[in-house]
Amino acid sequence: MTTNISSVETLKPVASDGAITEYVTAMIGGQLFGLPISRVQDVFMPERLTKVPLAPDDVAGVLNLRGRIVTAIDMRARLGLPRIDDGKPPMAMGVDLRGESYGLLIDSIGEVLKLADDSREVNPVNLDPRMAKMACGVHRLNGQLMVVLDVDRVLEIGPDRIAA
């Protein structure tokens, strides 16, 4: 069920401290991550992944998703985590950046959470530096920390990124 919020917003503007963001959650290496739902195009199980010769370790390959060529990014490799071979197929969250399609390979998909923007905190000083580089804050949820991923930073590929 969807609610028509736009008509309410025109009558009474929402204060910036009352803003809410919806996140698609995912588990990667036992850590909870969230991506703003506005950046997630779809969630899928990648099939027939084609390896790309001489690609960095975190580029798992490319695949055809409904007629689009999608570059699959191994989030475990991007975060410096070991690969797992538990026999379960990975899940992927489809995102776009500058007209290119990417699939972020994750361990499992979670639920959609609606969280107040003013409850998001800056990255803690003790957050793993590899995560901190790709995060734009955290939410504390019932004893668990959800790291908010910045899609632009996750997909950042440049000279310093390739050398890492």
Side-chain angles (χ1 to χ4, degrees):
M1 183 174 146
T2 58
T3 308
N4 186 355
I5 297 173
S6 60
S7 61
V8 175
E9 290 176 8
T10 55
L11 297 174
K12 184 177 179 184
V14 177
S16 62
D17 61 339
I20 292 177
T21 301
E22 290 183 278
Y23 296 96
V24 178
T25 61
M27 291 296 283
I28 307 168
Q31 174 61 53
L32 180 67
F33 290 91
L35 270 81
I37 199 168
S38 61
R39 296 298 305 265
V40 177
Q41 305 297 315
D42 45 19
V43 175
F44 59 95
M45 291 181 70
E47 295 178 14
R48 290 180 281 207
L49 202 58
T50 303
K51 296 284 184 191
V52 178
L54 304 176
D57 288 341
D58 52 2
V59 175
V62 294
L63 58 104
N64 184 330
L65 181 65
R66 294 184 292 276
R68 294 180 304 166
I69 300 300
V70 177
T71 303
I73 304 296
D74 183 341
M75 288 302 295
R76 283 183 151 273
R78 183 66 49 108
L79 292 166
L81 300 172
R83 293 187 192 270
I84 54 169
D85 223 358
D86 59 3
K88 291 195 290 187
M91 294 291 301
M93 295 172 36
V95 297
D96 283 344
L97 180 66
R98 295 187 283 277
E100 296 292 326
S101 297
Y102 298 89
L104 305 179
L105 300 181
I106 57 174
D107 296 344
S108 63
I109 194 73
E111 56 190 329
V112 174
L113 298 178
K114 293 181 181 183
L115 301 172
D117 289 350
D118 59 3
S119 72
R120 186 171 75 193
E121 302 173 24
V122 297
N123 293 339
V125 294
N126 61 346
L127 186 64
D128 183 300
R130 294 168 296 202
M131 282 186 205
K133 230 193 296 190
M134 294 181 257
C136 58
V138 298
H139 281 280
R140 296 181 194 277
L141 309 171
N142 298 332
Q144 191 174 25
L145 195 67
M146 182 186 83
V147 178
V148 179
L149 289 176
D150 181 326
V151 174
D152 296 339
R153 290 186 201 163
V154 168
L155 298 175
E156 193 174 90
I157 299 175
D160 60 330
R161 178 63 201 103
I162 293 170

